[in-house]
Amino acid sequence: MTGTPVLSEVLTSLATTRPARVGTAALRAALHARRMLLLKSLLVRVEQQRRLLSAPVRRRFEEDWALLVRAEQADPRAARDVLDYPLTGAWLVEALATPTGAAFDRHLAHLGGVALAAAVRAGCGVGGTLPVPSGTLALPGLGVLRCPSGAVRISGGAGLVHLADTQGHSSVVLQSPAARPASGMSRGVGSGPGWSALRTLPGATVVLDDLDPYRVPPLGIGPRALRATERPDCPRRLWARRWSEAHELLAGIDPERAVETGAVLRAVVPLATAVPRGAAPVGATLRAAPGAALAQLPAQPWELAETLVHETHHTKLAVLDELVPLSRTGGLTTHRVGWRHDPRPVPAVLQGAYAHLALTDLWWRVRNEPAAPPAWRHRAGERFEVFRDDVGQALSLLLESDELTSPGREFVHEMGRHHAGLGVATHCGR
């Protein structure tokens, strides 16, 4: 056992892969605690290395930090919403891993956009001029403003913030979500020359993020080094349609999973490159950015539904492992698993087993649901049989390993109990 009944309850709840409020709430709290730790680490590093930073960089950081504090004081929930945005985490991890120098200075400059996004959401007064050395001001979760002059003037309060490039190339008026809609403007989105807003996917609070500079690592994702889709090439309408179709399928088959997907995920990041004929679309979750599903646009809505469930569980386990380490660091053993060609270390085996246990649960329900699309029912039936065996073998490998922690062993035991029940009943249990 883990030592506390509450934590044990969370582990048991999450291990089954079934949606549960207690698990979701615990993960949200753990994610925020982790994000605050990273933010504090950045502050400590800047303080310790003050003499290595130029005066303008130090001054800019202090002003940005002060604005973030004001936003948090005005509306703690709004500031938390920005700090917990998945790609804010990707930025913090990248910044902390970068040696002091010009590259680190560029990462520090991103704090200006983070603080400003928090201020916009909180509706607190702002003013002054913000340097934008990259020429693009990125506001996490909101959008980006082109600033060819390298600086932007900021003014506003009472729920409205005006941003303008100092040479008049671009501008936008943003509205706090807490303010009443004015002139038909979408709250928090804004419009104006040079401004590109993120769009919320239909029927959800999840955004399609094809703008954030930290959405995909510099070297890309996976063996094919897939890059992020750039805004001009992103088929946003097709993504919105595919999302709606996938969500409708999930809601019809497993309503609780449909709700959980919308609660755990904050962003979908489109990956470039069309899916080769006959290949499965690539999906990924960055450990530094849980809550963002990186994905290629699939041809079929059920492929996206499966990707969303898969990446939701990568997010859940990534956050849980920060809260309660499930395996010991430094393990050198690798194992073969059914869903990969290459041998995997124990943490990766656990990640894959967890995500595929969730999919096996979903496929069990799909194949027993007469209203499911026939093609998906056929696919689900085949995959259920194969992956139920693959997950079972992976769970056996994990339980035989000495690299799991005590909570990790408890977690895998609970996974095994849920796995053993799949396929036993004659009804999907909805």
Side-chain angles (χ1 to χ4, degrees), residues 1-15 22 324 407 410-411 414:
M1 299 299 289
T2 61
T4 67
V6 172
L7 189 53
S8 182
E9 179 186 358
V10 170
L11 283 173
T12 300
S13 168
L14 291 171
V22 64
V324 185
E410 175 186 339
F411 189 79
E414 291 296 335

Side-chain angles (χ1 to χ4, degrees), residues 346 349-350 353 393-401 404 409 412:
V346 164
V349 173
L350 178 55
Q393 292 172 10
L395 293 176
S396 296
L397 289 172
L398 289 168
L399 290 174
E400 292 171 2
S401 170
L404 294 179
R409 189 163 296 277
V412 173

Side-chain angles (χ1 to χ4, degrees), residues 38 41-50 52-54 57-58 61 91-111 133 214:
L38 291 174
S41 297
L42 185 64
L43 175 63
V44 169
R45 178 178 171 182
V46 169
E47 290 298 320
Q48 291 177 340
Q49 299 182 353
R50 286 182 62 84
L52 301 178
L53 303 175
S54 68
V57 169
R58 292 199 308 269
F61 180 84
W91 158 65
L92 281 167
V93 170
E94 182 74 15
L96 289 168
T98 301
T100 302
F104 181 63
D105 292 350
R106 288 193 295 270
H107 290 312
L108 280 187
H110 187 67
L111 178 62
Y214 291 91

Side-chain angles (χ1 to χ4, degrees), residues 337-408:
V337 290
W339 51 85
R340 293 282 297 233
H341 296 297
D342 52 332
R344 309 295 288 160
V346 164
V349 173
L350 178 55
Q351 274 279 358
Y354 188 60
H356 284 92
L357 178 59
L359 285 175
T360 304
D361 179 285
L362 175 65
W363 288 323
W364 167 234
R365 294 162 194 274
V366 171
R367 80 171 194 171
N368 287 283
E369 176 53 69
W376 196 20
R377 288 188 65 195
H378 177 73
R379 166 192 172 96
E382 291 181 337
R383 295 203 161 205
F384 173 80
E385 297 296 342
V386 172
F387 281 94
R388 185 176 186 275
D389 290 343
D390 288 344
V391 171
Q393 292 172 10
L395 293 176
S396 296
L397 289 172
L398 289 168
L399 290 174
E400 292 171 2
S401 170
D402 61 359
E403 294 181 30
L404 294 179
T405 62
S406 179

